[in-house]
């Protein structure tokens, strides 16, 4: 059965495997998540479940959102995410999913919003090279370089790597490995890095590659 859950990134640490090797892990507070809505092919044209994560005061939600939660008879949730799963027959509105839906060794995909870096130059944004800072280079050692075309076609080609906004975009890291699951504290330790700063909301689901 396909699985999915919403979590909050707590930070990175390290664990030791059976052979004593250090494994860098990202710790995610995964769940508890409540099934707020169940979408079916008959009513919506596709099947999916909508999960809610994190409690929020009822006075802070809008009236349409309050009606949505009241219809499901669940407490208001701060974050809502939808998961398209191949089989949702085992899930019903009001069910609570915890970290133990995953187990050590599972292969997963993690979706999050990367850290915002603001306005960045070409070297930081595109991993470009700078010029040699020798005689005659002038004050352009970290500039974007030539725009390319001259009088023909008299324009800069689309896709030219220029300075601009870096980060703060949706990123999916595929095929990560679950190292450890602490069901009692709703924690999942994932090998490697996960997008976003500490406290960022991430979505964990089964890997599409595994």
């Amino acid at each position: 059965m396909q699985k999915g859950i919403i979590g909050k990134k707590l930070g990175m640490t390290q664990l030791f495997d059976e052979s004593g090797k250090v494994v860098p892990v990202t710790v995610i507070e995964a769940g508890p998540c409540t099934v707020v809505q169940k979408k079916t092919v008959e009513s919506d044209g596709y099947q999916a479940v909508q999960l809610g994560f994190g409690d929020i005061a009822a006075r802070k939600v809008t009236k349409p959102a309050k009606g949505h939660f009241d219809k499901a008879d669940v407490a208001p949730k701060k974050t809502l995410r939808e998961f398209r799963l191949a089989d949702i027959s085992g899930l019903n509105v009001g069910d609570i999913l915890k970290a133990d839906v995953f187990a050590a060794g599972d292969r997963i995909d993690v979706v999050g919003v990367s850290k915002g870096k603001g306005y960045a130059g070409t070297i930081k944004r595109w991993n470009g090279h700078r010029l040699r800072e020798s005689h005659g280079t002038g004050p352009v050692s970290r500039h974007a370089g030539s725009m390319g075309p001259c009088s023909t076609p008299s324009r800069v080609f689309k896709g030219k790597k220029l300075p601009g906004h870096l980060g703060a975009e949706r990123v999916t890291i595929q095929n990560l490995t679950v190292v450890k699951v602490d069901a009692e504290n709703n924690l999942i330790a994932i090998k490697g890095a996960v997008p976003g700063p500490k406290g960022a909301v991430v979505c964990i689901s089964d890997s599409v590659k595994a």
Side-chain angles (χ1 to χ4, degrees):
M1 177 181 165
Q2 281 186 311
K3 305 176 291 292
I5 200 168
I6 310 170
K8 182 173 72 172
K9 180 177 175 179
L10 299 182
M12 292 196 72
T13 184
Q14 59 188 26
L15 299 175
F16 293 91
D17 63 10
E18 296 79 12
S19 61
K21 292 183 178 179
V22 171
V23 180
V25 296
T26 302
V27 181
I28 306 291
E29 181 188 342
C33 293
T34 306
V35 179
V36 178
Q37 186 180 12
K38 189 174 178 179
K39 297 192 174 184
T40 61
V41 176
E42 294 76 21
S43 60
D44 302 280
Y46 66 101
Q47 64 178 17
V49 289
Q50 186 186 74
L51 302 182
F53 172 69
D55 294 325
I56 186 173
R59 60 184 173 82
K60 292 185 178 181
V61 296
T62 61
K63 286 186 177 180
K66 183 179 182 298
H68 183 63
F69 291 120
D70 288 345
K71 182 179 179 181
D73 194 24
V74 299
K77 299 297 178 182
K78 191 173 185 179
T79 303
L80 293 176
R81 293 290 186 273
E82 192 174 281
F83 292 84
R84 289 200 184 195
L85 306 177
D87 181 20
I88 60 173
S89 59
L91 297 173
N92 295 301
V93 173
D95 288 353
I96 295 177
L97 305 181
K98 296 185 178 181
D100 55 7
V101 296
F102 291 98
D106 286 353
R107 309 293 282 190
I108 58 172
D109 292 342
V110 181
V111 181
V113 177
S114 62
K115 290 182 181 180
K117 306 292 178 89
Y119 189 90
T122 53
I123 291 179
K124 182 175 181 178
R125 190 182 185 201
W126 301 110
N127 198 29
H129 291 273
R130 62 173 179 80
L131 299 177
R132 291 178 61 189
E133 294 184 3
S134 57
H135 293 289
T137 303
V140 295
S141 60
R142 292 180 65 91
H143 284 202
S146 170
M147 292 291 107
C150 192
S151 59
T152 303
S154 298
R155 63 183 176 84
V156 178
F157 287 122
K158 286 184 178 180
K160 169 66 180 172
K161 293 179 177 179
L162 295 171
H165 188 268
L166 174 63
E169 60 184 5
R170 178 187 168 102
V171 177
T172 301
I173 306 296
Q174 294 185 321
N175 217 17
L176 297 174
T177 305
V178 175
V179 177
K180 186 178 180 180
V181 175
D182 183 351
E184 185 178 345
N185 297 308
N186 275 313
L187 300 178
I188 296 178
I190 301 170
K191 182 179 180 179
V194 164
K198 292 178 182 178
V201 173
V202 297
C203 294
I204 304 172
S205 59
D206 285 323
S207 175
V208 296
K209 290 183 175 178

